[in-house]
């Protein structure tokens, strides 16, 4: 059996009586950037929550680096080297930028220290004493990514990083994701904007109503105009 970094097999997850995920299987190999696409409510966030131990799947398995971590509490999953940039950039609003980074450090060691993050993102350094609740949306997204970086994860789960951000900031965010990948971090990326994600992804999965309905090489999916139109909410997409 080939050993993926992350291997999700036939996950079924419920919220109360609602059966949300139906036999969801996916994998991320070492060094890969994998996009998880789908319309609103398809189950992308629930898939991430099931991997992270935030929502316990009813059946199925999650393996990370060959170890069965199904149902592990999230603090143990994160200690293994799984980072998370949540949708909506949740953080500690009353803490300053520096304090948010300090509590995100895990002591696992690795290339990303707070100083290095500040060198890479000088804007954050300028804002280091500001409470994060007073940052703009773009600045909060940068801080959210910076928080995940200082934990030096092996695998990073990133949920809709472009949401509500101006195009220039989205570009900056995607540049950082590409850099992380170039430095060997594996990434599972949830994104509403399919075309954006497919430009950086190696492979992609598409979810619909809690099921994986497509999986393949990102460049192939990018050429599938019908699928892209559906994913982008039936907007016209230039061919
Ligand atoms: P979005 O882009 O809107 O975040 P998504 O693909 O990430 O969509 P999920 O957030 O995983 O989708 O939601 C999947 C389904 O689960 C939706 O039908 C949603 O209404 C439902 N759902 C999400 N969270 C809960 C919850 N806490 N309790 C009950 N149902 C929920």
């Amino acid at each position: 059996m080939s050993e993926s970094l992350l291997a999700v097999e036939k996950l079924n997850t419920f919220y109360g009586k609602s059966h949300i995920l139906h036999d969801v299987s996916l994998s991320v190999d070492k060094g890969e950037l994998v996009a998880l696409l789908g319309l609103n409510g398809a189950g992308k966030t629930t898939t991430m929550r099931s991997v992270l131990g935030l929502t316990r799947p009813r059946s199925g398995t999650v393996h990370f680096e060959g170890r069965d971590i199904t149902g592990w509490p999230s603090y143990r999953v994160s200690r293994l080297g799984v980072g998370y940039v949540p949708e909506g950039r949740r953080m500690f609003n009353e803490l300053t930028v520096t304090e948010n980074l300090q509590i995100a450090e895990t002591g696992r060691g690795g290339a990303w220290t707070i100083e290095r993050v500040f060198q890479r993102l000088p804007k954050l350094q300028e804002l280091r004493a500001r409470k994060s609740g007073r940052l703009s949306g773009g600045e909060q997204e940068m801080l959210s990514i910076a928080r995940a970086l200082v934990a030096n994860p092996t695998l990073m789960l990133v949920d809709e990083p472009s949401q509500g951000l101006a195009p220039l900031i989205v570009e900056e965010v995607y540049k950082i994701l590409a850099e992380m990948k170039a430095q060997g971090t594996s990434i599972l990326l949830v994104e509403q904007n399919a075309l954006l994600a497919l430009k950086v992804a190696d492979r992609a999965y598409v979810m619909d109503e809690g099921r994986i309905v497509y999986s393949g090489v990102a460049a192939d999916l990018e050429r599938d105009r019908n699928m892209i139109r559906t994913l982008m909410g039936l907007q016209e997409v230039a061919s």
Side-chain angles (χ1 to χ4, degrees):
M1 198 176 94
S2 81
E3 192 104 312
S4 297
L5 180 68
L6 176 73
V8 169
E9 289 278 342
K10 288 183 169 290
L11 277 192
N12 285 277
T13 300
F14 290 66
Y15 288 124
K17 286 190 174 150
S18 308
H19 190 170
I20 306 294
L21 298 187
H22 300 260
D23 287 333
V24 167
S25 298
L26 58 82
S27 65
V28 179
D29 288 339
K30 232 175 168 357
E32 261 194 324
L33 196 161
V34 175
L36 182 56
L37 307 171
L39 295 175
N40 263 335
K44 307 179 297 296
T45 300
T46 307
T47 301
M48 286 197 163
R49 293 181 59 89
S50 303
V51 168
L52 288 158
L54 293 167
T55 302
R56 202 189 166 96
R58 192 169 292 181
S59 66
T61 57
V62 179
H63 283 81
F64 180 69
E65 292 179 326
R67 189 182 314 197
D68 187 348
I69 61 162
T70 318
W72 279 28
S74 47
Y75 76 91
R76 286 186 68 199
V77 177
S78 89
R79 258 187 218 161
L80 282 182
V82 182
Y84 184 34
V85 181
E87 187 179 8
R89 328 174 234 289
R90 265 165 254 139
M91 55 189 73
F92 298 101
N93 285 342
E94 286 306 311
L95 300 188
T96 65
V97 165
T98 302
E99 288 165 348
N100 262 287
L101 293 176
Q102 282 167 340
I103 53 169
E105 282 182 309
T106 55
R108 292 179 79 239
W112 291 98
T113 57
I114 294 180
E115 296 76 67
R116 170 128 183 261
V117 163
F118 279 157
Q119 273 169 19
R120 174 60 186 79
L121 300 166
K123 188 79 202 288
L124 271 191
Q125 183 166 29
E126 280 170 35
L127 296 167
R128 64 189 177 277
R130 187 165 303 176
K131 287 188 174 164
S132 64
R134 311 197 54 172
L135 300 176
S136 72
E139 290 158 357
Q140 285 186 349
E141 187 65 38
M142 291 300 172
L143 177 56
S144 192
I145 290 175
R147 279 169 46 87
L149 277 177
V150 296
N152 287 292
T154 311
L155 171 69
M156 185 114 132
L157 272 46
V158 186
D159 199 347
E160 299 213 15
S162 74
Q163 198 184 46
L165 299 184
L168 270 179
I169 298 169
V170 171
E171 212 174 284
E172 179 64 17
V173 166
Y174 268 75
K175 220 157 70 187
I176 297 171
L177 294 181
E179 267 174 47
M180 291 180 64
K181 174 178 153 58
Q183 286 165 12
T185 308
S186 310
I187 299 173
L188 179 62
L189 171 66
V190 159
E191 184 57 84
Q192 281 283 333
N193 187 335
L195 282 176
L196 189 60
L198 289 171
K199 291 217 174 342
V200 292
D202 300 300
R203 286 188 303 115
Y205 293 90
V206 176
M207 288 191 84
D208 187 30
E209 297 186 356
R211 292 179 169 82
I212 300 284
V213 294
Y214 177 95
S215 82
V217 174
D220 292 343
L221 182 57
E222 209 179 347
R223 282 191 288 270
D224 184 341
R225 293 285 120 175
N226 282 335
M227 180 71 98
I228 295 293
R229 252 179 230 122
T230 308
L231 285 171
M232 305 286 286
L234 299 170
Q235 289 160 9
E236 254 334 289
V237 175
S239 348

